[in-house]
C-alpha cells in the first residue's frame, strides 16, 4: 500500500511538470548525470560537504520512513554504519520539466553493507535537480527496490 502511495505521489509530481517540459540538450543531460555520479561518489566516501553544497536548502527525500528535509537526508546518507564497495548507474534519462528543473531517472546496482546486512540491489531512483544561481542542486530524491527478474 505504501509503495502504491509513493508511486502515485511521484506520478502526480511528474505529471504536474510534464506539460511544461523541454527537451534536454546533451550538455545539460551530461551535467545532470555527472552530478548524480558525483553524489554517489560522495555517498561512498561519506563526503558531507558535497551534499551540504549540492542540495537545495528546501530539498526533500522520500524513503520508507516518509519525507525528510536536507538535514535528515545528509544525516541518513553520511552518519551511518554503511560501507559502499561499488555502484553502477544505467538507464539514465533526463527530462527537462522547465529550463531550470530537470528530472533524472535511472536504475542502479550497488554492493553496500549496512549494520552487517547487505542492502537491496538493484534499485530505481529519481532525482529532481533545480538550477539556482547558475548551479544545479538536488531538490528531491527517492529510491525503490527494482522488481526481481522472473
Amino acid at each position: 500500500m505504501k509503495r502504491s502511495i509513493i508511486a502515485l505521489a511521484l506520478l502526480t509530481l511528474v505529471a504536474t511538470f510534464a506539460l511544461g517540459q523541454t527537451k534536454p540538450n546533451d550538455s545539460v543531460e551530461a551535467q545532470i548525470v555527472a552530478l548524480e555520479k558525483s553524489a554517489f561518489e560522495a555517498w561512498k566516501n561519506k563526503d558531507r560537504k558535497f551534499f551540504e553544497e549540492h542540495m537545495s536548502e528546501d530539498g526533500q527525500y522520500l524513503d520508507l520512513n516518509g519525507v525528510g528535509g536536507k538535514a535528515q537526508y545528509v544525516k541518513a546518507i553520511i552518519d551511518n554504519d554503511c560501507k559502499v564497495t561499488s555502484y553502477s548507474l544505467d538507464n539514465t534519462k533526463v527530462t527537462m520539466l522547465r529550463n531550470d528543473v530537470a528530472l533524472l531517472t535511472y536504475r542502479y546496482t550497488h554492493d553496500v553493507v549496512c549494520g552487517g546486512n547487505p542492502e537491496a540491489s538493484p534499485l530505481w531512483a529519481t532525482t529532481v535537480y533545480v538550477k539556482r544561481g547558475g548551479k544545479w542542486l538536488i531538490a528531491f530524491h527517492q529510491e525503490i527496490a527494482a522488481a526481481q527478474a522472473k
Side-chain angles (χ1 to χ4, degrees), residues 30-50:
Q31 279 183 302
I32 297 297
V33 172
L35 274 169
E36 195 71 6
K37 288 179 179 178
S38 294
F40 268 80
E41 202 58 27
W43 171 51
K44 180 179 177 184
N45 297 320
K46 296 189 180 282
D47 180 358
R48 177 183 309 278
K49 186 176 179 184
F50 175 89

Side-chain angles (χ1 to χ4, degrees), residues 4 13 30 33 49 93 96 100 104 125 147:
S4 296
L13 173 72
V33 172
K49 186 176 179 184
K93 180 178 180 186
M96 297 303 296
D100 59 351
L104 171 64

Side-chain angles (χ1 to χ4, degrees), residues 103-119:
L103 170 68
L104 171 64
T105 56
Y106 58 95
R107 187 181 80 105
Y108 77 95
T109 57
H110 63 215
D111 182 9
V112 176
V113 176
C114 294
N117 299 312
E119 291 286 296

Side-chain angles (χ1 to χ4, degrees), residues 79-109:
D79 298 334
N80 58 52
D81 63 350
C82 298
K83 177 163 175 50
V84 180
T85 304
S86 64
Y87 60 86
S88 176
L89 282 67
D90 61 26
N91 295 327
T92 60
K93 180 178 180 186
V94 175
T95 303
M96 297 303 296
L97 304 176
R98 293 190 328 220
N99 288 336
D100 59 351
V101 180
L103 170 68
L104 171 64
T105 56
Y106 58 95
R107 187 181 80 105
Y108 77 95
T109 57

